[in-house]
Amino acid sequence: MDNSSVAFITKIVLETVEKQKSSENEPGYLVPVGVSARHIHLTQEHIEILFGSGYQLTKKKELMGGQYASNETVTIVGLKLRAIENVRILGPARSKSQVEISATDAIKLGVKAPIRESGNIKGSAPIAVVGPKGVIYLEEGCIIAKRHIHMPPKDAQAAGVQDGDVVSVKVENERGTVFNNVQIRVDDSFTLEMHIDTDEANAAGISTGQTVRVIK
């Protein structure tokens, strides 16, 4: 390697280090990202309709707050009979069934899914769900999940936010994206993580495990 190449590499390394130091000194609270793919929550009644009487979900991967990704998947079908297969079920069973998709999924399915906080399904889009043993039709329950940050109380205190607060979040990469209207959710069972869907992650050029910065 000649002297000019060494000088060039040294210059790039030093610039990268300085950029990293500058970023670390910026105000705001750093939060890791979890990209949330389409998924579904089901009541026990609906699980049994789809998979058979007495059926219990089986765990594939533990998630925060006592939730888990199950081994079981279903097919979701929009009103125009457009379908998406292999939609993962998250357990345990809930009091209401709910399908969470991206805006791109909504277009593919032909449904008008509103952007909502998880659990707020009143007046949301209808959807059909197909399992190996049966079919259910949800008159409401299909949403695009509102972007949000899960925080345990200690992180909320350190970040200076409370449950229900709405903040902006900066993605510090070549895309330089800022997400507004990010809801803070605080609970003892949570681990620190921002949840965005696949559309948002692709647009911002970010993947699971990378960090973003909360800017109020």
Side-chain angles (χ1 to χ4, degrees), residues 9 23 50 53 94 130 156 158 164-165 170 173:
I9 292 172
S23 176
L50 295 170
S53 179
R94 286 196 175 186
V130 182
D165 284 355
K170 183 179 180 182
N173 60 15

Side-chain angles (χ1 to χ4, degrees), residues 190-206:
F190 291 160
T191 55
L192 182 64
E193 193 170 64
M194 176 179 176
H195 285 178
I196 56 177
D197 66 30
T198 50
D199 282 358
E200 294 169 317
N202 290 337
I206 192 167

Side-chain angles (χ1 to χ4, degrees), residues 22-43:
S22 176
S23 176
E24 289 173 351
N25 291 329
E26 287 186 19
Y29 200 74
L30 290 176
V31 177
V33 170
V35 179
S36 182
R38 67 181 77 98
H39 60 274
I40 181 170
H41 303 277
L42 293 168
T43 64

Side-chain angles (χ1 to χ4, degrees), residues 51-66:
F51 291 91
S53 179
Y55 193 90
Q56 298 292 320
L57 297 176
T58 58
K59 292 183 182 181
K60 178 181 177 69
K61 181 183 178 181
E62 292 283 352
L63 303 173
M64 74 172 68

Side-chain angles (χ1 to χ4, degrees), residues 1 7 39 52-53 55-58 60 64 68 79 86-87 112 119 134 148-149 154 179 185 189 193 201 211 213:
M1 186 180 296
H39 60 274
S53 179
Y55 193 90
Q56 298 292 320
L57 297 176
T58 58
K60 178 181 177 69
M64 74 172 68
Y68 58 87
L79 296 180
N86 300 316
V87 178
K112 295 181 179 179
H148 57 278
I149 299 175
K154 63 180 179 63
F179 289 115
R185 299 173 61 182
S189 66
E193 193 170 64
T211 58
R213 190 179 299 275

Side-chain angles (χ1 to χ4, degrees), residues 129-199:
V129 184
V130 182
K133 299 291 186 179
V135 179
I136 60 172
Y137 176 71
L138 304 177
E139 293 185 356
E140 58 185 16
C142 184
I143 66 169
I144 298 169
K146 184 177 182 179
R147 59 181 78 112
H148 57 278
I149 299 175
H150 290 283
M151 286 185 170
K154 63 180 179 63
D155 283 296
Q157 183 177 8
V161 295
Q162 298 179 348
D163 185 56
D165 284 355
V166 176
V167 298
S168 294
V169 170
K170 183 179 180 182
V171 182
E172 297 170 328
N173 60 15
E174 62 274 13
R175 290 291 181 95
T177 308
V178 174
F179 289 115
N180 296 316
N181 301 320
V182 182
Q183 187 163 6
I184 300 295
R185 299 173 61 182
V186 181
D187 191 89
D188 287 323
S189 66
F190 291 160
T191 55
L192 182 64
E193 193 170 64
M194 176 179 176
H195 285 178
I196 56 177
D197 66 30
T198 50
D199 282 358

